[in-house]
Amino acid sequence: MTAEIRAAVDAVMAEWAWHIDHGDVDALVALFTDDARYVAGGVTLDGKGEIEERYRSRTRHGARTTRHVYSGLRLTEVTPAAVRATSTWICYAANAPAPVEGTRVFLVADFLDRLTHCADGRWRLAERTIADVFRDSTLAPVRVPV
C-alpha cells in the first residue's frame, strides 16, 4: 500500500463526513461510483440515483443536525485500482437545528467500504456497508409515512 492511496482514501472518508453533516447532497453523491451499492439500516440501495434519493429524503422531514467522526482506518486488498477499507464511525445526532443543547451518540458503527480508482483519477465509493455496533433509536431520523 502506498501512502498516496491511504491519503486518498482518508480524504474520501473526510469528505463524506463533511458533506453529510452539512447537507451537500450533490457533493456527497459525487463520492460514489455510478453503480455503487449502499447497505445501511436493513436497506440496500443500488446505484447513484437510489443513494441520492436516500440522502435527499433526510432533509424533507424537518431539521436534522449530525456530526460524523471516524477513526481506525484500515486498508486491505489494495491494488492500484481498488481497495477495501474498514473504519469505525461515531454519529452524534439530533432532530433539531444547531446549536443543540447536550450531545448524545446516535450510532457507533463499522463502515465496510470498497473504493475504486476511477478513470478521472479520483477514488470513489463502489460499495458501503454500515454495520451498527451501538445505536440509540430515539435519535434516528424522523420518517414521515408516505
Side-chain angles (χ1 to χ4, degrees):
M1 166 185 36
T2 68
E4 183 179 333
I5 291 174
R6 183 174 184 79
V9 170
D10 185 61
V12 171
M13 302 299 153
E15 288 299 302
W16 186 88
W18 178 265
H19 296 312
I20 196 167
D21 288 340
H22 293 88
D24 189 347
V25 175
D26 291 334
L28 188 65
V29 172
L31 297 173
F32 289 88
T33 61
D34 290 340
D35 61 348
R37 172 167 276 193
Y38 183 94
V39 180
V43 175
T44 298
L45 307 171
D46 288 309
K48 252 185 180 174
E50 289 184 12
I51 294 167
E52 179 178 5
E53 177 55 32
R54 173 74 174 236
Y55 287 131
R56 290 206 187 281
S57 73
R58 293 169 55 99
T59 63
R60 292 189 191 123
H61 307 298
R64 176 108 173 128
T65 301
T66 62
R67 287 300 179 267
H68 291 75
V69 181
Y70 70 97
S71 182
L73 180 62
R74 183 171 181 264
L75 305 183
T76 58
E77 299 180 35
V78 178
T79 71
V83 65
R84 289 207 177 267
T86 59
S87 51
T88 301
W89 289 72
I90 299 171
C91 177
Y92 299 91
N95 291 313
V100 176
E101 288 292 324
T103 303
R104 292 178 47 205
V105 174
F106 163 51
L107 181 68
V108 176
D110 292 328
F111 280 36
L112 314 169
D113 296 317
R114 184 172 51 85
L115 294 94
T116 300
H117 193 243
C118 298
D120 64 359
R122 292 183 57 191
W123 285 89
R124 288 191 176 81
L125 291 159
E127 185 176 332
R128 168 160 279 181
T129 299
I130 299 176
D132 298 355
V133 178
F134 303 102
R135 181 182 181 92
D136 182 345
S137 60
T138 65
L139 299 173
V142 173
R143 299 277 187 227
V144 176
V146 181

